[in-house]
Amino acid sequence: KRGSVVAGGDGSSEDDAEGDAAPGLALVAAAKQQTLKEALLEVFEQLLRMYKADRVAGQSSRDYHYMQVLSSLRLLPDEFDADDIRALRKLHGVGKATVSKALEVFRTGTLRRAETMAGSARMVALRELTSVYGVGAVRAQQLLSLGISSVAALRERPELQSDATAAYLSHFEELQTAVPRQEIEAC
């Protein structure tokens, strides 16, 4: 079998083979000019970033788990099929749920859990707060616990801002504006 990660896989799985022949991931990869592996890794890396950003003190098992999963996914060949994903089940740290998520990405090009997390009010707030200079994941968590969930709300509370953060906020909109390439090349 071409590019199989784990030899001796019998291909059996709790997941049926429906959708294996026409994967949505191939469309996503082609649109982004990526290999299937790069496109799959991108989805799981996004999930890992969200778990890291939403980490509650002392609870880092999910992000650790997804670091292990990424290591296993990197063993896939650049182009693979559903059977290659199912074969990952034999590797340490890759369980039934992980294989199911990887197959979902393979079939649809996306992962519902990642989409749901990315769109949650909490994750939107964390992303917005961490876009401010001087506000990392830990500080964003602290601000959320104080009821600060947006840049506008942070601006209204100067006592929560460091000098550097206050200076950044005074130019926030300007710093969020992309500089046209022509303007950069003219310099």
Side-chain angles (χ1 to χ4, degrees):
K1 175 158 169 36
R2 128 191 107 69
S4 184
V5 175
V6 179
D10 62 359
S12 65
S13 172
E14 293 78 9
D15 292 295
D16 59 27
E18 185 181 322
D20 288 355
L25 186 62
L27 297 173
V28 171
K32 294 182 175 184
Q33 297 182 336
Q34 297 176 317
T35 64
L36 287 178
K37 179 173 154 180
E38 290 168 337
L40 180 67
L41 287 171
E42 186 176 283
V43 172
F44 278 88
E45 286 165 349
Q46 175 192 17
L47 193 59
L48 173 62
R49 281 191 303 274
M50 287 188 287
Y51 277 124
K52 280 185 173 182
D54 198 28
R55 182 187 309 169
V56 178
Q59 294 182 346
S60 61
S61 63
R62 283 205 183 210
D63 53 330
Y64 177 75
H65 168 72
Y66 280 101
M67 286 189 290
Q68 284 183 312
V69 168
L70 283 166
S71 293
S72 296
L73 293 176
R74 286 185 181 101
L75 297 174
L76 286 168
D78 285 344
E79 302 301 322
F80 55 87
D81 60 23
D83 288 334
D84 291 324
I85 293 173
R86 287 185 190 97
L88 292 172
R89 177 76 167 90
K90 297 182 184 294
L91 299 177
H92 176 73
V94 180
K96 177 181 168 184
T98 300
V99 168
S100 178
K101 287 180 187 88
L103 285 170
E104 179 184 341
V105 175
F106 181 73
R107 292 173 180 150
T108 67
T110 188
L111 183 61
R112 283 181 307 230
R113 173 178 275 182
E115 303 247 335
T116 301
M117 279 182 73
S120 73
R122 180 175 177 78
M123 196 54 61
V124 169
L126 285 170
R127 255 193 322 271
E128 183 174 342
L129 290 171
T130 55
S131 72
V132 174
Y133 180 81
V135 179
V138 172
R139 184 67 177 140
Q141 294 280 358
Q142 293 169 344
L143 292 169
L144 278 176
S145 70
L146 295 171
I148 308 297
S149 60
S150 67
V151 171
L154 180 58
R155 276 190 168 133
E156 294 173 8
R157 302 281 304 272
E159 72 277 10
L160 298 175
Q161 303 168 20
S162 68
D163 291 341
T165 299
Y168 183 84
L169 286 173
S170 68
H171 301 285
F172 185 74
E173 283 77 19
E174 182 182 345
L175 293 168
Q176 298 303 305
T177 305
V179 178
R181 185 181 237 0
Q182 296 163 333
E183 194 174 316
I184 293 170
E185 290 173 348
C187 292

